[in-house]
Amino acid sequence: MRIGLFTDTYFPQVSGVATSIRTLKEELEELGHEVYIFTTTDKAVGRYEDPTIIRLPSVPFVSFTDRRVVYRGLMTSYRIAKAYQLDIIHTQTEFGMGNLGKLIGKALRIPVVHTYHTQYEDYVDYIAKGKIIRPGMVKYIVRGYLNNLDGIICPSRIVTNLLEGYEVKPVKRTIPTGIQLDQFVRDDISQEDVDRLRQDLGFQPCDTMLLSLSRISSEKNIQAILASLPEVLSEYPHVKLVVVGDGPYLTTLKQLTTQLGLEASVIFTGMIDHNQVALYYKACDFFISASTSETQGLTYTEALASGKPVIAHGNPYLDDLITDKMFGTLYYDARDLPAAIIDALVSTPEMTQKHLTQKLNAISAQQFGKAVYSFYLDAIIAKAACRQYKYSLTMEGSPADRSLQLVKQTAVLPVTLVKKTATTSAKVFKAPIKVITSIKDFLE
């Protein structure tokens, strides 16, 4: 199968969405499919890049300058998508590249599915300080984008429930994003490596390390963790918080740390190299998050894959993920965060290998890739069946005859798809030649 992923954000931009897209691409390719990413330009990317990544002209997004939005490239995208003979388009962000993907899908008459990653009510303040788009307007905007798609992937029950509340009509399937386990189940990280990092951070052997790892923005609610620390430290003075990441709220958090007198108990590392992320997980005692804006949160599964329990604000996604006390402690009222931290320190049991193995299987990228591919097949079959049905309405004969012909035609679709998938083994590095040839033919 040939798949086009359309997204406004991708590496080197760092985000959960970018990580999810890269994971999906790698897993689908492992299954034998060809995957092409249509995304925005980025000044940090060299001229020569993976030929399966197509970058379109873009500019920084207003009030959110570390993200970009495409401003042209429709015909270029159409020609390339047609040359690659895409079977399906999967949009990952709304509006810019999302609308581009929808237009191209319509032009090529192929299914367009979408993953809804973001609760926009938590982000409207970034656009003219919330004066243009109000939280109450979000559902109408989102519904307008989603209602003419061929299917929607919801990364968690939170998103499924949210879209049901928006009265979004297309078929929805809950498929949590998996993670590459080998990046976090790291036997190559020794105890000496862990001890060295903790020493470099200024930890004593008796200290307990809470790890916050995310983009530093107000909606991540790291300020709530800081506000809870004085109460925790009054009973457990050896607790320290390590805040990893960068973002627009970093200065504010540092000022709050000073105001609360927490300089000796809070460490800001700034951005760290991606290769160091697993080491930080291994070095901590608990991963902590007070965010209420996550639709899933890959950092939770990354922490679990590293064998570390979670302390977090509960939601339907985490209720499904944290199925045992050994995996973490959830709280549901902001006032309960200090008590939740103390409860986790006192009563979290050791993870057993049996339970951890079961959890790893459930959150693996392999399961994620297979589930998404299954959804693609359903969307393609449904699209073809709908087209055949519309065609049957123009055929001669009785309704029974038309129905029988429709059933026969639809029944061979899965076989046709399997055969088509089996023929897509051409090497990806030949792609630019195919594109150039096809564009030349198109123009002539």
Side-chain angles (χ1 to χ4, degrees), residues 333-389:
D333 188 306
R335 295 169 296 183
D336 295 333
L337 177 53
I341 296 173
I342 293 171
D343 178 49
L345 295 175
V346 172
S347 59
T348 301
E350 290 289 329
M351 288 188 195
T352 66
Q353 189 58 50
K354 176 183 176 181
H355 287 84
L356 181 57
T357 300
Q358 292 173 345
K359 182 63 66 177
L360 293 179
N361 289 336
I363 64 178
S364 70
Q366 289 80 5
Q367 289 291 101
F368 172 53
K370 291 175 182 177
V372 172
Y373 172 59
S374 176
F375 189 67
Y376 289 166
L377 285 178
D378 290 345
I380 292 172
I381 292 170
K383 183 85 169 181
C386 181
R387 189 178 297 123
Q388 292 288 357
Y389 173 73

Side-chain angles (χ1 to χ4, degrees), residues 402-418:
R402 294 198 300 267
S403 297
L404 179 60
Q405 184 171 348
L406 174 62
V407 169
K408 288 180 178 179
Q409 290 170 335
T410 305
V412 302
L413 285 171
V415 176
T416 304
L417 285 169
V418 171

Side-chain angles (χ1 to χ4, degrees), residues 76 82 87 116 123 152 167 177 188 198 228 278 305 325 361 366 383 397:
T76 299
K82 185 177 181 181
D87 297 300
Y116 190 76
Y123 292 86
I152 302 165
E167 299 179 358
T177 300
D188 59 308
R198 287 175 66 99
S228 71
K325 182 69 173 177
N361 289 336
Q366 289 80 5
K383 183 85 169 181

Side-chain angles (χ1 to χ4, degrees), residues 224-268:
I225 303 174
L226 293 175
S228 71
L229 282 182
E231 183 176 340
V232 174
L233 291 170
S234 66
E235 295 189 43
Y236 295 91
H238 296 294
V239 172
K240 290 186 178 181
L241 172 67
V242 175
V243 180
V244 175
D246 200 355
Y249 209 58
L250 181 59
T251 300
T252 302
L253 291 183
K254 289 182 176 179
Q255 291 172 348
L256 179 59
T257 299
T258 301
Q259 292 169 10
L260 294 172
L262 297 173
E263 296 94 330
S265 301
V266 179
I267 299 143
F268 293 94

Side-chain angles (χ1 to χ4, degrees), residues 419-433:
K419 289 181 178 178
K420 191 168 186 179
T421 300
T423 63
T424 62
S425 58
K427 298 297 183 183
V428 166
F429 65 80
K430 296 180 181 179
I433 299 175

Side-chain angles (χ1 to χ4, degrees), residues 36 49-54 84 428-432:
Y36 306 96
E49 192 184 16
D50 182 343
T52 65
I53 300 176
I54 299 97
Y84 281 136
V428 166
F429 65 80
K430 296 180 181 179

Side-chain angles (χ1 to χ4, degrees), residues 281-305:
Y281 280 125
K282 291 288 188 183
C284 78
D285 296 289
F286 296 89
F287 175 78
I288 187 168
S289 172
S291 175
T292 58
S293 66
E294 307 294 336
T295 57
Q296 56 172 337
L298 294 179
T299 48
Y300 302 126
T301 50
E302 290 172 356
L304 291 178

